[in-house]
Amino acid sequence: SFDETVEALRKSAPANDWHIPDERDLTGLWAEEGVESPPKIRVIYLCNAHGGHAITKDDELKAMSVMMPMGLSIYETSKGQVEISFMNLGMMSAMFVGTTHDVLKASAQNLENALKDVVEQ
């Protein structure tokens, strides 16, 4: 279910080097703004402070902070299926060299590990 998926991610993420600094309940936000029957959507932000710091400690890479923390969306489709969407950090790592490459590649593995207990294969 939607709520079980959200809760499973909340438990799995910290066990895989992710901190959750924020969550956005888009369903509730939109309902407050008068949207009738908003879809179930929750954005959970994931952060790895050490990796983020390693990337942004140099001025030339501080612009990468626009992607920090990384948002992961859990939503329910119109057919009642629960899905998760997120940036493909492994593919993104191929666009960079050095520390950024290494951090994104490691983060991709940490994210995959965190999602193993959450999603059905």
Side-chain angles (χ1 to χ4, degrees):
S1 76
F2 179 83
D3 292 331
E4 289 172 333
T5 302
V6 169
E7 191 56 37
L9 183 65
R10 284 181 186 145
K11 290 179 181 173
S12 183
N16 289 282
D17 295 327
W18 293 104
H19 173 75
I20 300 175
D22 196 14
E23 285 187 33
R24 298 295 163 100
D25 175 10
L26 296 184
T27 307
L29 176 67
W30 293 343
E32 289 174 13
E33 294 295 321
V35 172
E36 196 170 310
S37 301
K40 288 184 178 180
I41 302 175
R42 173 137 342 191
V43 180
I44 297 178
Y45 293 93
L46 302 176
C47 178
N48 178 298
H50 297 287
H53 176 260
I55 291 172
T56 60
K57 66 183 178 182
D58 296 323
D59 286 343
E60 62 193 41
L61 295 175
K62 281 187 173 56
M64 293 283 294
S65 64
V66 72
M67 298 186 310
M68 298 174 191
M70 180 188 72
L72 180 146
S73 179
I74 300 172
Y75 57 92
E76 188 174 86
T77 69
S78 59
K79 294 180 181 179
Q81 292 182 298
V82 177
E83 298 190 9
I84 300 174
S85 64
F86 50 91
M87 288 188 285
N88 187 327
L89 298 176
M91 284 183 75
M92 287 180 62
S93 73
M95 298 186 310
F96 298 96
V97 296
T99 299
T100 303
H101 169 81
D102 296 343
V103 168
L104 290 177
K105 191 168 178 84
S107 295
Q109 185 61 55
N110 289 347
L111 183 56
E112 181 180 326
N113 291 340
L115 292 174
K116 279 182 183 176
D117 296 330
V118 178
V119 298
E120 295 177 3
Q121 302 286 323

